Amino acid sequence: MKLLNDNKGYITGILIMVMIIPIMFLLITIIEQENHYINKTVENIQDNKLTIVTNDFQREIPLLTRKSMNNLTLSVIINRKPLVNATEELITDINYKLKEKEVFYEKNMGCIISCNVTDIKTSKTNPFQLEVSYKIDSKFREDSNISQGKKIYVELVDDEYPVYDPFAILKADTTLSNDIVYYNQITQLENSGVYDNAISGCVIKPCPYTNYEEHGNNNTTILNCINNHYYHESHDGLCIFCRLENKTSCLDYGIETFVIPTGIVEKAPVSIDHVLLNDTEGQYMGQVHILDNNTILYLDNGHKNKYGL
């Protein structure tokens, strides 16, 4: 104790300082770790929020695509004028709708989003689907951001926003009544008069009998298909974009539907839309196939086999 007193407390002070310095370093470390944890937590919350908002925005794209397809196909039917480039017009319309959504998300959620559809084509395996490619960038006013390119598949079929088939309207002398197209003098082949006042649908609906040979199992199946104007996958048929452009041939996987004639003869032009309405020497004859007293078809051997008839 004397030693401590003789040095006027210097040694005690030094000992205290030696003890305090590690404690201070420990406190500084703890505070830095806590700040890092808080900052990381805030960053994670911000990133999670951005991910949620971005995903919500992307869920808008299929609906906007169906709305645009509905508008585009209906306008072609009403105006009876084919499109020059259906794909580009569809992309332009969707991107216009996306810009409106971008404004809404920034105003209401504080999220700055830039989204553009870059390409649209029909699916290689399902002509009732569209393959939509797009790029999206999103961020809040802080540092977090998301940037990615994606490809999604959008069903053409939507009860609220149906996709209309303008093919018959553009190819033939027709009138539209509800969902039925009435044909008059659509071909110059022999016995083409059996298609005066013929009917088919103008809303694209895929046939539920996906094993097409089932159509021949009984008349109920084929008649249900005909009465509902269902469409079927076809390697020779036209995709929706070729239909909008009033083309006769198509390189993509397409669709076809029955056109129901009104007269009975032994043979007449085949009752498949892309055959009957082909205006570049693609029409050919088929044999009569009587389904009941009111319904007949004219089919070649290829289509008979396809539908089990």
Side-chain angles (χ1 to χ4, degrees), residues 276-294:
L276 188 66
L277 299 173
N278 191 311
D279 54 10
T280 57
E281 300 181 353
Q283 298 171 336
Y284 48 87
M285 306 293 279
Q287 299 295 318
V288 65
H289 188 89
I290 300 175
L291 300 173
D292 63 17
N293 292 333
N294 300 312

Side-chain angles (χ1 to χ4, degrees), residues 54-267:
T54 303
N55 288 342
D56 284 343
F57 187 95
Q58 290 180 101
R59 280 190 281 270
E60 303 270 8
I61 297 175
L63 178 60
L64 296 182
T65 300
R66 287 192 287 269
K67 283 184 176 180
S68 291
M69 281 298 296
N70 168 264
N71 293 338
L72 202 63
T73 56
L74 184 58
S75 68
V76 171
I77 282 183
I78 292 173
N79 297 325
R80 295 176 179 264
K81 184 178 180 181
L83 302 178
V84 176
N85 190 324
T87 302
E88 286 301 318
E89 293 211 28
L90 179 61
I91 290 174
T92 299
D93 193 66
I94 296 172
N95 284 336
Y96 178 81
K97 290 179 171 60
L98 286 172
K99 295 307 170 190
E100 293 178 333
K101 289 293 180 182
E102 291 172 8
V103 173
F104 174 85
Y105 272 72
E106 183 172 3
K107 180 180 179 181
N108 293 277
M109 302 177 190
C111 186
I112 302 170
I113 298 177
S114 174
C115 183
N116 287 285
V117 170
T118 57
D119 189 32
I120 294 183
K121 60 185 72 172
T122 53
S123 167
K124 292 181 180 179
T125 58
N126 183 353
F128 298 104
Q129 281 183 341
L130 296 180
E131 181 183 291
V132 181
S133 300
Y134 66 91
K135 292 182 179 179
I136 185 168
D137 296 286
S138 59
K139 64 180 180 179
F140 287 110
R141 291 180 175 85
E142 292 78 7
D143 293 335
S144 59
N145 65 82
I146 292 176
S147 180
Q148 56 189 351
K150 281 196 171 183
K151 182 186 296 181
I152 59 173
Y153 291 89
V154 178
E155 299 292 333
L156 278 176
V157 182
D158 189 315
D159 290 338
E160 186 175 2
Y161 300 104
V163 174
Y164 295 93
D165 179 10
F167 190 48
I169 290 287
L170 296 175
K171 288 290 185 186
D173 179 14
T174 63
T175 56
L176 187 64
S177 175
N178 296 323
D179 288 340
I180 306 300
V181 176
Y182 292 80
Y183 298 77
N184 290 283
Q185 296 184 4
I186 54 182
T187 176
Q188 298 301 314
L189 293 184
E190 180 184 358
N191 294 331
S192 61
V194 299
Y195 289 100
D196 288 351
N197 297 316
I199 60 173
S200 77
C202 67
V203 174
I204 294 177
K205 299 177 288 186
C207 183
Y209 310 111
T210 52
N211 180 3
Y212 294 152
E213 290 185 0
E214 293 180 12
H215 287 67
N217 289 350
N218 54 68
N219 273 7
T220 301
T221 301
I222 183 64
L223 289 173
N224 184 51
C225 175
I226 287 173
N227 292 333
N228 284 285
H229 306 297
Y230 289 135
Y231 283 70
H232 309 86
E233 297 181 17
S234 171
H235 289 286
D236 298 319
L238 304 171
C239 75
I240 182 60
F241 296 120
C242 287
R243 289 169 181 263
L244 286 166
E245 294 170 5
N246 196 25
K247 291 182 177 178
T248 298
S249 60
C250 178
L251 298 177
D252 297 320
Y253 195 23
I255 54 179
E256 66 184 21
T257 190
F258 295 113
V259 180
I260 313 306
T262 54
I264 299 179
V265 293
E266 184 177 345
K267 64 178 183 177

Side-chain angles (χ1 to χ4, degrees), residues 41-59:
T41 301
V42 171
E43 183 180 326
N44 288 339
I45 291 173
Q46 194 74 13
D47 287 345
N48 289 339
K49 181 181 177 183
L50 182 61
T51 299
I52 291 170
V53 173
T54 303
N55 288 342
D56 284 343
F57 187 95
Q58 290 180 101
R59 280 190 281 270

